[in-house]
């Protein structure tokens, strides 16, 4: 079992006999929940046909840098932005040399230059080629740039020789790929996340709500889990699968969310309030379905408790992170919420038509007392990882200061 649910893996295949093992690797990654796109170099297609990977992945296999058809479906920059990780298996000596020297003369090498995500390289080559000083220098160059080299293993080689240069087996590569997502920057901390909308009942069949899908909050919960935290999630009504290993409490109204949060808050080190909690609810909920009668109709609303404000005001308040959903004056409104709610951090995002709510990508600026950081438009899971990393920096810094 490898923890790859929802991870977007760009699987690069270069020219080498070990490419046949990559078909097994592809299946394994997919079986464990990863979304995989395959990119092959021309050399790779000499060993295994794109059709093999296409049939296994159920997706078009990308081979050309400038191909009108595939560029219009998913261009090379879009492909680079799509991935959470690039895994190249097998990586030939030639491909390693080209990436080490910054070449962008085919699709896969271009993606390696254009992507801002971890790159994992599983070399496979003749043992003498592996031991050659040129290859070793190229590998050193890649390592200093943060590229992770997986393997190789030693043993019998397809060429009849014996030594280092065999590609790691598919299960080892899947395991090591899953491990790259486990940052452990918040190991041992207890994190409580809220996500999704709340529903404020009007009568037994109607309610007031908002467009939150829960995607952002669920991504934050997953990223907290990858950071090694013990994660609880209080979720409004959403259509998302429950994340594995996260304790989920489902609620509907703001009042229910308020009481679920308050029940857990004394066991919480970090509270992240990503839910779009309704500010108001009905003063009186009709027991029966309200009948259509007059031409106009008024609903009387009362203010809901501000959960985040209450949590951050507690005497032993956890490290409190809010979100600010704004349609204008993003920075000033977010800074005001940071100060007035006495938060440790706030993640401000613009919402409106096709932004923030109910879409797969988002962008945000994160503010804290002494700094701020802009997180560019990206899939919500990647953004969540960046947010968790900022939270870990501030939280770990604050706790270090406390103990000294
Ligand atoms: O769910 P998605 O479709 O992925 O969309 C993500 C999102 C846009 C909902 C998310 O990124 C986001 O911005 N969540 C906060 C939405 C919100 O209610 O913002 P606000 O500016 O109205 O509230 C400020 C903060 O106070 C928020 O952290 C909110 O959770 C909290 N709050 C608000 C009202 C209330 N009664 N209690 C609260 O705790």
């Amino acid at each position: 079992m490898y923890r790859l649910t929802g991870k977007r893996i760009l699987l690069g295949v270069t020219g080498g006999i070990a490419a046949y093992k990559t078909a097994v690797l592809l299946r394994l990654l997919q079986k464990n929940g990863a979304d995989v796109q395959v990119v092959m170099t021309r050399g790779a297609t000499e060993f295994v046909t794109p059709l093999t990977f296409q049939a296994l992945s159920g997706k078009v296999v990308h081979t050309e840098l400038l191909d009108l058809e595939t560029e219009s479906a998913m261009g090379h920059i879009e492909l680079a932005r799509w991935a959470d990780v690039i895994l190249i298996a097998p990586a030939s000596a030639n491909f390693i040399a080209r990436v080490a020297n910054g070449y962008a003369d085919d699709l896969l090498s271009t993606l390696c230059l254009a992507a801002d995500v971890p790159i994992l390289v599983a070399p496979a080559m003749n043992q003498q080629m592996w031991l050659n000083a040129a290859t070793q220098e190229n590998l050193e160059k890649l390592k200093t740039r943060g590229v992770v080299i997986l393997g190789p293993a030693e043993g019998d080689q397809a060429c009849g020789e014996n030594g280092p240069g065999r590609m790691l087996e598919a299960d080892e590569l899947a395991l090591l790929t899953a491990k790259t997502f486990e940052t452990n920057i918040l190991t041992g901390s207890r994190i409580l996340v809220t996500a999704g909308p709340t529903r404020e009942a009007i009568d037994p069949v109607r309610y007031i709500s908002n467009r939150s899908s829960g995607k952002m909050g669920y991504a934050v919960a997953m990223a907290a889990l990858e950071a090694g935290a013990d994660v609880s999630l209080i979720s409004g009504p959403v259509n998302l699968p429950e994340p594995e290993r996260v304790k989920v409490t489902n609620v509907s109204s703001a009042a229910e969310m308020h009481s679920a949060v308050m029940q857990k808050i004394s066991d919480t080190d970090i509270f992240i309030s990503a839910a779009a909690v309704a500010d108001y609810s009905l003063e009186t909920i009709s027991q029966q379905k309200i009948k259509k009668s007059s031409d106009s109709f008024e609903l009387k609303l009362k203010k809901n408790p501000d959960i985040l404000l209450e949590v951050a005001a507690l005497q032993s308040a956890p490290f409190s992170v809010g979100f600010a959903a704004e349609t204008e004056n993003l920075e000033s409104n977010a800074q005001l919420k940071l100060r007035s709610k006495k938060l440790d951090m706030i993640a401000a995002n613009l919402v409106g038509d096709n932004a923030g709510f109910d879409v797969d990508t988002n962008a945000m600026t994160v503010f804290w007392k002494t700094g701020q950081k802009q997180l560019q438009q990206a899939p919500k899971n990647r953004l969540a990882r960046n947010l968790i990393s900022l939270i870990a920096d501030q939280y770990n810094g604050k706790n270090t200061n406390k103990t000294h």
Side-chain angles (χ1 to χ4, degrees):
M1 182 71 188
Y2 316 100
R3 288 168 178 153
L4 287 165
T5 310
K7 301 293 180 292
R8 295 165 169 186
I9 301 176
L10 200 152
L11 182 58
V13 191
T14 76
I17 185 61
Y20 79 93
K21 291 197 210 171
T22 311
V24 180
L25 174 61
L26 166 64
R27 287 300 273 213
L28 204 52
L29 297 172
Q30 287 182 316
K31 222 174 100 195
N32 285 280
D35 187 0
V36 187
Q37 298 255 10
V38 178
V39 177
M40 299 178 79
T41 62
R42 196 154 300 161
T45 63
E46 301 287 335
F47 290 90
V48 181
T49 66
L51 191 60
T52 304
F53 288 107
Q54 190 152 315
L56 291 174
S57 70
K59 290 195 180 120
V60 170
V61 169
H62 308 266
T63 53
E64 301 299 326
L65 178 56
L66 300 171
D67 175 327
L68 281 184
E69 247 171 57
T70 47
E71 278 289 306
S72 61
M74 188 182 254
H76 64 279
I77 295 298
E78 207 183 327
L79 203 49
R81 299 288 168 270
W82 170 88
D84 290 322
V85 69
I86 297 181
L87 167 62
I88 301 162
S92 65
N94 178 52
F95 188 77
I96 288 170
R98 283 175 34 236
V99 177
N101 288 291
Y103 279 48
D105 57 354
D106 68 1
L107 179 58
L108 189 55
S109 55
T110 304
L111 291 172
C112 289
L113 273 189
D116 182 23
V117 293
I119 300 179
L120 313 179
V121 168
M125 65 195 74
N126 165 270
Q127 51 95 23
Q128 203 53 55
M129 290 170 81
W130 170 257
L131 294 171
N132 192 293
T135 304
Q136 290 302 316
E137 272 172 35
N138 289 330
L139 287 160
E140 279 315 308
K141 263 194 204 170
L142 292 182
K143 281 190 217 165
T144 55
R145 289 182 213 145
V147 173
V148 179
I149 312 297
L150 308 177
E154 281 198 45
D156 290 339
Q157 301 203 304
C159 55
E161 295 180 16
N162 185 290
R166 280 170 60 97
M167 187 171 89
L168 293 184
E169 296 305 322
D171 54 350
E172 290 171 278
L173 290 175
L175 181 68
L176 292 168
T177 305
K179 278 199 181 305
T180 58
F181 292 100
E182 291 171 15
T183 61
N184 295 325
I185 49 180
L186 285 168
T187 298
S189 57
R190 298 160 302 173
I191 299 188
L192 177 61
V193 181
T194 64
T198 62
R199 285 181 184 169
E200 309 307 323
I202 298 172
D203 66 16
V205 295
R206 304 183 179 98
Y207 54 79
I208 299 174
S209 192
N210 59 63
R211 290 169 48 202
S212 170
S213 63
K215 287 177 186 168
M216 192 68 241
Y218 275 55
V220 168
M222 281 306 292
L225 198 69
E226 287 166 9
D230 176 10
V231 185
S232 299
L233 173 66
I234 297 175
S235 173
V238 298
N239 286 315
L240 298 173
E242 283 194 4
E244 296 158 23
R245 297 179 291 137
V246 170
K247 292 166 227 140
V248 183
T249 306
N250 291 303
V251 297
S252 183
S253 65
E256 284 172 20
M257 187 171 277
H258 175 253
S259 82
V261 168
M262 289 308 165
Q263 255 174 42
K264 283 194 180 283
I265 209 67
S266 56
D267 296 326
T268 299
D269 300 309
I270 301 174
F271 176 57
I272 307 173
S273 184
V277 188
D279 289 321
Y280 293 90
S281 57
L282 273 285
E283 208 166 76
T284 322
I285 302 170
S286 170
Q287 292 306 305
Q288 304 302 332
K289 184 182 170 200
I290 299 168
K291 297 281 175 220
K292 182 165 55 180
S293 53
S294 51
D295 283 350
S296 67
F297 180 69
E298 281 183 12
L299 291 172
K300 190 142 190 218
L301 304 177
K302 65 174 195 299
K303 215 171 188 175
N304 279 333
D306 189 317
I307 305 168
L308 179 61
L309 179 94
E310 240 178 79
V311 166
L314 290 171
Q315 207 164 32
S316 52
F319 186 90
S320 301
V321 184
F323 270 70
E326 307 295 341
T327 53
E328 56 179 349
N329 306 327
L330 186 72
E331 172 158 5
S332 55
N333 285 336
Q335 291 276 17
L336 186 66
K337 283 177 185 166
L338 179 74
R339 284 194 303 276
S340 64
K341 297 196 186 195
K342 298 197 169 47
L343 305 177
D344 292 291
M345 292 180 98
I346 194 156
N349 47 188
L350 279 173
V351 293
D353 278 347
N354 262 332
F357 282 107
D358 202 17
V359 284
D360 290 333
T361 61
N362 201 3
M364 58 179 66
T365 311
V366 187
F367 300 95
W368 57 99
K369 244 177 246 151
T370 54
Q372 68 180 69
K373 172 125 189 179
Q374 179 127 25
L375 302 179
Q376 302 292 349
Q377 187 85 16
K380 282 182 176 168
N381 60 355
R382 194 165 333 137
L383 211 60
R385 267 179 231 131
N386 292 336
L387 175 63
I388 286 292
S389 154
L390 288 177
I391 291 174
D393 286 349
Q394 295 305 310
Y395 172 73
N396 292 330
K398 190 173 169 176
N399 280 359
T400 312
N401 293 341
K402 257 188 201 166
T403 49
H404 289 105

